[in-house]
Amino acid sequence: MQAVGVCTWTFGPLPLEQIASRLQHLGFDGVELLGELPLEASKVRAVLDSHGLRLFSLTPANVDLAHPDPARRLEALDYYHRLLDFAAETSCPLVSCHGAVGRFAPLATQAQEWAWLVEGVSQICSYARALGLAVVFEVLNRYETHLVHTAEEALALLSQVGQPNLKVLLDTYHMNLEEANLPAAIRQTGPHLGLFHLADSNRRGIGEGHTDFAEIWGALREVGYTGPLILEATAPGPNPFTPVKGAGYLETLEADLSKSLRWLRARAQ
């Protein structure tokens, strides 16, 4: 049965112990952990192990690999190196990276910042290969970043980086905003798909928006994707950059997660 996990940041400021307890109760297999360094590898492993959860992947804090300031780019690379060290300590197989969230336009030129992104991701992949790790590049939407919005652009990035341990992370919420045809984008990515995030069109759980998940499921089966399915849903409410949506957000989130898990389990038999 295909493993299903949840991004920990969607629970807001709850300690990992409480998040793990809630996910164990709901019946999930593991987590994608927000890489807010410093993290203590032994404590993270102990918490997850005590609740029978696996660490599928790490999602990064907000750093900028394509900033015109060389110091900012070096700061971002240093962060990713430390995140990869943590991944190696915790036996986490995947580390994701992406463009700076909240920067919607280039400060230099789009072409120059694309080149800096290629250079930075290439260095991250080289460091990861030395540790025996893989990297996935997450495709975001235009309202979160100005770089890499579609599967086609992600594949172009992979081609230019040219590292065998780099794959693509697609997310149905972002795809809903950017892709003309979500199943076609999955098929286009094909064997380069390294991780998959799920949320409905309104970033709630499966069935709460208008995304056709039956077609998406069929496309995932066609390309042979058997990796973890990571739910990255949030409760409804303002401010898309915070999971805390007011009183009762955790109850709504957990209801959405439970419903989504049932949908996925019914199809993964």
Side-chain angles (χ1 to χ4, degrees):
M1 184 178 294
Q2 199 158 4
V4 184
V6 177
C7 294
T8 58
W9 75 265
T10 61
F11 281 84
L14 265 64
L16 182 60
E17 173 70 39
Q18 292 184 32
I19 296 171
S21 177
R22 288 168 180 263
L23 292 178
Q24 180 185 32
H25 178 74
L26 290 171
F28 283 91
D29 301 304
V31 301
E32 176 172 279
L33 182 66
L34 176 60
E36 286 190 331
L37 299 174
L39 288 167
E40 292 188 43
S42 59
K43 289 185 178 180
V44 169
R45 273 267 56 104
V47 168
L48 296 180
D49 288 348
S50 69
H51 291 89
L53 298 173
R54 295 156 59 190
L55 180 54
F56 294 125
S57 50
L58 298 172
T59 192
N62 193 26
V63 295
D64 196 342
L65 289 165
H67 199 279
D69 184 350
R72 293 281 295 273
R73 299 200 301 274
L74 284 173
E75 179 183 82
L77 281 174
D78 175 70
Y79 165 80
Y80 276 108
H81 289 170
R82 290 184 289 119
L83 188 65
L84 287 161
D85 288 339
F86 172 80
E89 286 185 71
T90 52
S91 300
C92 178
L94 292 173
V95 173
S96 69
C97 61
H98 51 61
V101 175
R103 190 150 77 80
F104 315 117
L107 298 172
T109 67
Q110 188 81 356
Q112 177 60 79
E113 294 194 11
W114 176 276
W116 284 325
L117 181 68
V118 169
E119 179 183 6
V121 174
S122 180
Q123 291 183 53
I124 290 167
C125 290
S126 294
Y127 193 89
R129 285 181 69 189
L131 296 172
L133 299 175
V135 178
V136 287
F137 192 91
E138 182 170 10
V139 183
L140 304 180
N141 69 75
R142 74 188 74 182
Y143 304 109
E144 295 191 21
T145 187
H146 68 296
L147 292 168
V148 189
H149 300 144
T150 64
E152 183 177 5
E153 291 175 351
L155 292 172
L157 179 72
L158 261 65
S159 177
Q160 291 182 37
V161 169
Q163 297 271 10
N165 61 332
L166 178 62
K167 290 194 173 184
V168 177
L169 193 172
L170 293 178
D171 181 310
T172 57
Y173 171 71
H174 301 300
M175 294 171 75
N176 176 69
L177 293 167
E178 299 294 346
E179 301 286 0
N181 185 306
L182 277 65
I186 293 168
R187 296 186 188 99
Q188 181 182 21
T189 306
H192 301 290
L193 183 61
L195 192 61
F196 199 74
H197 282 182
L198 300 101
D200 217 319
S201 56
N202 51 8
R203 209 170 204 174
R204 291 191 61 186
I206 293 173
E208 300 301 320
H210 61 69
T211 303
D212 189 336
F213 282 97
E215 286 195 354
I216 287 168
W217 186 261
L220 290 172
R221 301 280 71 77
E222 280 185 44
V223 302
Y225 178 75
T226 58
L229 300 166
I230 306 295
L231 287 161
E232 193 178 17
T234 61
N239 193 342
F241 298 110
T242 177
V244 180
K245 306 294 186 179
Y249 84 94
L250 284 173
E251 289 77 9
T252 302
L253 172 64
E254 291 186 351
D256 281 4
L257 291 176
S258 181
K259 178 181 176 182
S260 300
L261 183 62
R262 289 196 300 272
W263 191 96
L264 293 168
R265 292 281 193 239
R267 285 151 183 82
Q269 299 293 338

